[in-house]
Amino acid sequence: MPESAVCRICGGEVVAFMDFGEQPVSDCFLPPGSTAPEHFYQLVVGACSACAMVQLLHEVPRERMFHEDYPYHSSGSAHMREHFRRVAEHFLAAELTGDDAFIVELGCNDGVMLKTVAEAGVRHLGVEPSGSVADITAARGIRVRKDFFEEATAREILAEDGKAAVIYAANTLCHIPYMGSVLDGVRELLTPHGVFVFEDPYFADIVRQTSFDQMYDEHFYYFTARSVAAMARGHGLELVDVERLPVHGGEVRYTLAREGARAHTGAVDDLLAAEDAAELTARSTLEAFADRVRTVRADLTALLRDLRARGEDVVGYGATAKSATVLNYCGIGPDLIEYVTDSTPAKQGRLTPGSHIPVVPPQRFADAFPRYAVLFAWNHAEEIMAKEEAFREAGGRWIRYVPGVRVD
């Protein structure tokens, strides 16, 4: 019998459809020679039979994931910097038009979106629990609160700053298991006609692309319009708009408002209908997805073993949180991948979680191009391909595993 659990959204039964085995905390990069024990957990993904919310069955304590040394910086990609600039400009034009408009961002990271808002002189607050990136935000002149957002946090912000016209979150809401407290806080903090806008990986795109590496400890929920609508209804909110986004391998931007405050757009009905037609959380759909994931694992490990047996140089590109799932689920270590190159200083000189592959600066990659590179940062493929033309011109070849294993 598949493992099951109680849904964190509606209390229904969540039945597992994919078990990735023991996984490390995805952004916990170890110093070489470290004797500190690594924290592992069982990465099991299931779907609720009542509200259709796809979610993890086991929670990793938030302090283990989002801490003082959290290494991810949202502004590391030029493409994402432009994306967040456009988000901010949209809010400034459409929602933050009053004399005393106020915006709150949950999980503001290094302040890449709020920077544009701050430069426009609009009242703002970022809520960011990871101390090191919050310090970067503050150094940029952006007002930030080092904290996790929940109902009690919302009340404190309300007492100090008043209600917010916009509450925004990017690649953050799916990280938070205690959704009830968050949504109750959002409802309390919003102005009567305010909006809560969040964007996160879209489960339909994960299924379509077999992008199973989107499933890791930080991603507790995998949203669809159907599950978000159900989640909102339970807390006096309503799904009023959706927008498909091409970032991070496929996301949806969801807009919630107080029930009855705004009319919902036709885009909501269209996406709901498309999800129902695709039977996204039907058992047959989920089992077929799991079968494809197992095929990718078999194909990727077979390819890497063959290349190494032939004496080929193989490295990884992008020490992403996603890569932790791939490396540990597939049993890939330094015997198959010599190193992983990454531009994040906080990750360089350390070892990948669980698999213990050295992480090196980009200069190491450029100094002596390998023959093959596994593209773990596949969601930034276009930007990376343009940046690494010299690798291709030197005869280098990319190994891709989304939606299936191939060599480009």
Side-chain angles (χ1 to χ4, degrees):
M1 289 288 292
E3 186 177 354
S4 64
V6 175
C7 178
R8 299 290 293 265
I9 298 299
C10 73
E13 183 184 23
V14 177
V15 179
F17 62 85
M18 189 67 215
D19 186 343
F20 291 98
E22 281 199 342
Q23 292 280 335
V25 175
S26 62
D27 262 320
C28 187
F29 291 81
L30 298 178
S34 173
T35 58
E38 282 188 273
H39 178 77
F40 286 83
Y41 72 105
Q42 201 73 14
L43 179 56
V44 183
V45 190
C48 178
S49 56
C51 72
M53 181 66 78
V54 177
Q55 59 201 273
L56 301 188
L57 273 67
H58 305 287
E59 177 184 349
V60 177
R62 63 189 188 180
E63 293 82 5
R64 287 191 180 273
M65 297 183 289
F66 309 109
H67 45 73
E68 188 66 28
D69 298 320
Y70 186 64
Y72 179 74
H73 293 178
S74 298
S75 60
S77 160
H79 179 70
M80 292 309 297
R81 289 196 299 272
E82 175 62 17
H83 170 78
F84 287 122
R85 184 190 63 79
R86 291 196 302 268
V87 169
E89 289 180 348
H90 166 74
F91 287 145
L92 290 170
E95 303 290 347
L96 301 172
T97 56
D99 292 338
D100 196 33
F102 178 47
I103 179 172
V104 175
E105 182 177 7
L106 315 185
C108 68
N109 197 262
D110 59 9
V112 62
M113 190 282 291
L114 286 179
K115 178 176 180 291
T116 302
V117 174
E119 289 172 348
V122 171
R123 278 204 310 137
H124 63 275
L125 177 67
V127 183
E128 175 54 58
S130 302
S132 56
V133 288
D135 289 340
I136 293 171
T137 304
R140 291 173 172 169
I142 298 162
R143 190 162 163 253
V144 62
R145 173 185 177 130
K146 287 187 186 180
D147 208 347
F148 290 95
F149 184 88
E150 49 199 352
E151 189 173 6
T153 321
R155 289 192 184 123
E156 291 174 8
I157 295 170
L158 180 62
E160 185 173 346
D161 293 291
K163 291 186 177 289
V166 177
I167 301 175
Y168 175 69
N171 306 300
T172 295
L173 202 67
C174 69
H175 295 181
I176 308 174
Y178 47 96
M179 192 63 71
S181 179
V182 171
L183 293 181
D184 287 343
V186 163
R187 187 188 66 246
E188 192 162 346
L189 187 56
L190 276 181
T191 60
H193 291 90
V195 289
F196 176 35
V197 181
F198 63 95
E199 51 193 68
D200 281 294
Y202 185 38
F203 183 63
D205 287 327
I206 293 174
V207 170
R208 178 179 57 84
Q209 300 176 125
T210 318
S211 52
F212 67 93
D213 58 352
Q214 295 273 32
M215 296 172 167
Y216 56 94
D217 55 345
E218 294 179 11
H219 288 177
F220 191 87
Y221 294 111
Y222 304 87
F223 296 132
T224 61
R226 178 68 59 195
S227 62
V228 167
M231 177 179 80
R233 279 195 300 271
H235 297 276
L237 298 168
E238 185 177 6
L239 178 63
V240 297
D241 197 12
V242 291
E243 180 183 355
R244 300 287 296 272
L245 302 174
V247 299
H248 289 310
E251 296 194 340
V252 168
R253 179 179 293 148
Y254 304 93
T255 300
L256 306 185
R258 294 174 183 273
E259 286 183 342
R262 297 193 180 207
H264 73 265
T265 67
V268 174
D269 294 330
D270 291 345
L271 195 56
L272 288 170
E275 290 175 359
D276 290 345
E279 298 184 316
L280 275 180
T281 54
R283 199 69 201 169
S284 58
T285 303
L286 300 176
E287 289 175 353
F289 168 79
D291 286 342
R292 294 196 302 276
V293 172
R294 288 186 279 268
T295 296
V296 170
R297 175 175 64 172
D299 291 348
L300 181 59
T301 54
L303 173 62
L304 295 179
R305 289 189 186 115
D306 178 63
L307 292 174
R308 295 298 286 159
R310 286 161 30 201
E312 299 284 6
D313 295 327
V314 183
V315 307
Y317 195 103
T320 61
K322 299 192 300 295
S323 68
T325 298
V326 180
L327 293 170
N328 288 277
Y329 175 62
C330 297
I332 298 169
D335 57 326
L336 297 179
I337 291 181
E338 181 183 351
Y339 64 78
V340 180
T341 180
D342 195 279
S343 60
T344 308
K347 299 178 182 180
Q348 295 164 5
R350 295 187 169 235
L351 304 175
T352 57
S355 50
H356 299 171
I357 301 171
V359 181
V360 305
Q363 194 58 47
R364 167 79 179 276
F365 182 74
D367 284 345
F369 285 128
R371 176 64 169 157
Y372 294 90
V374 182
L375 186 60
F376 292 121
W378 57 265
N379 50 309
H380 297 297
E382 184 176 348
E383 186 176 341
I384 290 169
M385 296 299 174
K387 177 183 174 183
E388 300 293 356
E389 281 191 15
F391 168 62
R392 179 184 56 80
E393 291 170 356
R397 305 182 71 183
W398 294 103
I399 297 174
R400 311 281 288 272
Y401 55 86
V402 175
V405 176
R406 66 189 189 277
V407 180
D408 290 345

